[in-house]
Amino acid sequence: MSASSHRYSVLFHRHPQNPILTAADWPYPVNSVFNPGVTRLPDGSTLLLCRVEDRRGHSHFCAARSRDGIDGWQIDPHPTLMPDPEHYPEEIWGIEDPRITYVPEMGCYVIAYTSYSRGGPGVSLALTRDFVTFERYGVVMPPEDKDAALFPRRIGDYWALIHRPVTPLGAHMWISYSPDLRHWGNHRLLIEARRGAWWDANKIGLCTPPIETQEGWLIIYHGVRQTAGGCLYRLGLALLDLANPQRCLLRGDTWIFGPEAPYEREGDVDNVVFPCGYTLGDDGDTIYLYYGAADTCIALATGSVRALLDWLRQNGRPLTYDWRDQRRREAEISNDFLAHT
Ligand code: BMA
């Protein structure tokens, strides 16, 4: 056995300047900044659409732009997108955790975010071309649902969205389809939370939008382990079939990134790493993963898409969901849901 096989591989490296953004950087008073949506703009610069929490506990979004995605951030002097509860009552307690997908066919960015109201968290969509003006599509997945992102192109004729509804049987990842981004159906169970002692037992959710590779859609997801000392948010990997993303080809058993650094261990919510977006370097392989740390600040870790795929090939296991099996699980979940309501 080689020396290296005694250790788990390190797939993401924390940036030495972490945390790269905190509330102290903000041009107006805020409690915390975390869980940013991310995109690379046409000029190569990086835009973070940060979740900003005020001292009421409500969140809005504020854009921060940087030429190299590491420092020199230009932060909008005022909130970029505020909740609009007068027209969108589902946003009365704020908007959270944006995930940005650039959609070439539409020539715009589609932001999937959590709209939070008395009904609980739901999934809303907003479209923008410039991160200055936004067109809201309203709620597309009613509460309780969150952790959603759109695929960048149609699958066949339909847009596809990954999201995480909560049912009495657990908080699993689902995929749904739409002809127009407004009407959603053909809901399919995609990846289940495991049970018991697993790091990703009971509650999982998508992190960044799916990453298109030649081998499939690379998925980074979070698993939530509930312990006597609170929750632990960690990250794992899966791979979906390129042509038919409701087929999960591989899923890793172990987590690949978790709270270790002091700014991840301690904050408003301890022990959380929560990425909502990434950029790819000019080499097409380096992945810059931006994440909220302990619901308090924003940090960056870098890795290699090729290395993530190699790791999955070596450590992932095929989910041999056959179609009937998946149908059976979906029936179980809806029966259980009905039994509890
Ligand atoms: C999740 C989301 C995230 C948050 C995380 C840890 O449910 O609300 O916004 O970072 O919990 O508190």
Side-chain angles (χ1 to χ4, degrees):
M1 195 182 260
S2 72
S4 62
S5 61
H6 291 295
R7 293 178 197 278
Y8 288 112
S9 352
V10 177
L11 295 176
F12 279 107
H13 300 271
R14 290 171 178 81
H15 197 275
Q17 282 167 245
N18 275 352
I20 56 163
L21 281 169
T22 73
D25 299 310
W26 242 249
Y28 55 93
V30 304
N31 171 56
S32 51
V33 294
F34 54 116
N35 302 3
V38 186
T39 195
R40 255 189 111 178
L41 297 172
D43 66 0
S45 63
T46 297
L47 179 140
L48 301 186
L49 191 64
C50 306
R51 171 176 171 189
V52 177
E53 193 188 81
D54 62 29
R55 280 205 180 176
R56 296 174 305 163
H58 295 198
S59 294
H60 62 266
F61 300 151
C62 186
R65 297 170 175 82
S66 155
R67 199 169 280 278
D68 62 7
I70 295 165
D71 51 23
W73 295 97
Q74 302 284 323
I75 302 171
D76 281 358
H78 305 290
T80 309
L81 187 67
M82 281 295 278
D84 180 9
E86 201 180 309
H87 301 103
Y88 298 88
E90 66 273 12
E91 299 183 359
I92 191 151
W93 289 340
I95 52 177
E96 306 180 351
D97 304 349
R99 290 165 173 96
I100 302 170
T101 302
Y102 180 69
V103 180
E105 184 188 320
M106 296 196 293
C108 72
Y109 303 89
V110 177
I111 306 164
Y113 61 96
T114 301
S115 43
Y116 191 21
S117 72
R118 295 182 182 101
V123 176
S124 292
L125 294 186
L127 277 57
T128 187
R129 287 179 198 280
D130 52 12
F131 294 92
V132 176
T133 57
F134 297 83
E135 184 190 355
R136 277 173 163 90
Y137 274 35
V139 179
V140 293
M141 296 291 161
E144 183 178 340
D145 206 329
K146 56 163 65 169
D147 298 331
L150 187 74
F151 285 73
R153 56 179 174 77
R154 292 176 198 256
I155 307 297
D157 291 337
Y158 294 93
W159 301 109
L161 185 88
I162 295 179
H163 56 113
R164 202 285 309 279
V166 176
T167 74
L169 252 206
H172 308 303
M173 289 162 65
W174 290 66
I175 186 168
S176 304
Y177 299 88
S178 170
D180 57 6
L181 297 181
R182 291 186 186 274
H183 304 89
W184 292 87
N186 200 16
H187 312 290
R188 292 273 178 267
L189 181 61
L190 182 65
I191 304 175
E192 275 187 79
R194 285 179 267 218
R195 289 161 184 247
W198 281 93
W199 69 273
D200 55 355
N202 304 320
K203 197 193 226 189
I204 58 171
L206 183 68
C207 292
T208 73
I211 302 165
E212 187 165 8
T213 75
Q214 284 180 351
E215 292 174 43
W217 298 99
L218 178 61
I219 298 294
I220 305 175
Y221 72 94
H222 62 257
V224 186
R225 171 89 186 271
Q226 278 155 26
T227 78
C231 290
L232 285 162
Y233 278 73
R234 301 182 179 117
L235 312 184
L237 298 178
L239 191 70
L240 310 179
D241 187 87
L242 213 47
N244 179 19
Q246 68 200 39
R247 271 189 67 212
C248 181
L249 304 174
L250 290 171
R251 179 185 188 175
D253 275 346
T254 59
W255 75 81
I256 54 135
F257 191 78
E260 288 175 19
Y263 50 88
E264 299 161 353
R265 284 284 190 197
E266 224 182 294
D268 277 2
V269 183
D270 295 350
N271 294 313
V272 179
V273 291
F274 202 95
C276 290
Y278 70 95
T279 58
L280 282 185
D282 291 334
D283 60 6
D285 182 58
T286 306
I287 174 167
Y288 295 80
L289 188 70
Y290 293 87
Y291 60 101
D295 282 13
T296 298
C297 57
I298 293 173
L300 167 64
T302 55
S304 144
V305 172
R306 207 177 320 113
L308 298 176
L309 291 171
D310 287 348
W311 182 90
L312 255 181
R313 232 179 286 111
Q314 283 160 22
N315 298 279
R317 282 193 288 154
L319 285 195
T320 45
Y321 270 169
D322 90 31
W323 195 242
R324 278 161 311 176
D325 197 41
Q326 183 173 354
R327 285 301 205 183
R328 185 181 53 74
R329 290 291 299 133
E330 285 167 13
E332 265 176 32
I333 287 175
S334 41
N335 288 341
D336 205 72
F337 181 71
L338 291 174
H340 282 77
T341 46

